[in-house]
Amino acid sequence: MKTIKIIGPKFDLKELTDVFNFSFSDYVIKFVVTEESLSQKIQGDGVSMDHSIGIYNENEEENKLEGFILLAPDNFKNPTKLYNSATGVIPTARGNKLIERSFSQMRPIFKENGIDSIVLEVIQTNPRAIKVYENCGFKITRELHSYKGDLNKDSLLKYLNNNNENEIIIEKVEKLTDDFINFIENENGDQKQTRMNPSWSNTNQVIQREFNMGFNKIWIAKDNKTNKIIGFLSIHSQSQRIRQVYVTPTFRNKNVATKLFYTMSNEFQSINFNASNIEEGYENLKNFFNKRIGLDFWVSQFEMELIL
């Protein structure tokens, strides 16, 4: 008998890791986790097992996990939105509309507890998953693009050699200061040029959580004249996934981001990086990752939202 219920904090990480990998064994993109990397994802995304859903095969002899929907609240005190960090069902348990049943069963419970919506990302070349989520009531809200490949350091250096490097200071962040947090939280508040809204796994909250746990590295750019922060770069240090790069509009087209990336790349042995979830319409960012630093287009996703 299949039972759908909240996973809860007393879960078995090894069992979840095994089910995760079995569920993604035939996924459109190769995706394998270890107990350590899954634990980092759970912590980094802010996944709450008190909100996450488990699908179990229960009988008198065992209570076996066969599927999961890992959910992260926007805050832990009074959450109003959940992020679907990962969803999977093992191949041998599919065909029973378990994801649809899970959302249908938990929807009124989440709503009663103050949750207004659930958001997720799904790869565009996975029509089966898109259909499942549409059947649950999710609607597409925006299109996101990802890039990966070897960073072209020679190209970056060429741009830097043609400019006065002394105008910009690059510093590695050793501690999350009030100045830095104020910059990432409040920058662009009254600028005419809008700032891209990061996808959930690249938000400021995730960056700060990862940094405090020791697997996110951050560099800031400062104006040499005023010593004020004018940009920053954040990267997940183990996967080498770029979380965010941002430069104040008045300092753009001055190779600030280029200098941030060149400085950052000198700390890594591998030059293979990836940048996920660049929103459609932000051509400057897409061109920077593709043409300036040399990353290749990788995959496109839809961000989808379920209003409860």
Side-chain angles (χ1 to χ4, degrees), residues 44-56:
D45 283 352
V47 169
S48 164
M49 290 304 174
D50 288 326
H51 292 88
S52 298
I53 305 168
I55 301 166
Y56 298 87

Side-chain angles (χ1 to χ4, degrees), residues 2-30:
K2 298 291 190 292
T3 301
I4 297 167
K5 60 184 179 181
I6 293 295
I7 294 176
K10 296 181 179 180
F11 69 100
D12 185 329
L13 180 60
K14 183 182 185 307
E15 179 185 37
L16 181 58
T17 302
D18 291 342
V19 172
F20 192 107
N21 285 330
F22 191 15
S23 299
F24 282 90
S25 60
D26 57 351
Y27 194 51
V28 292
I29 291 180
K30 186 178 180 181

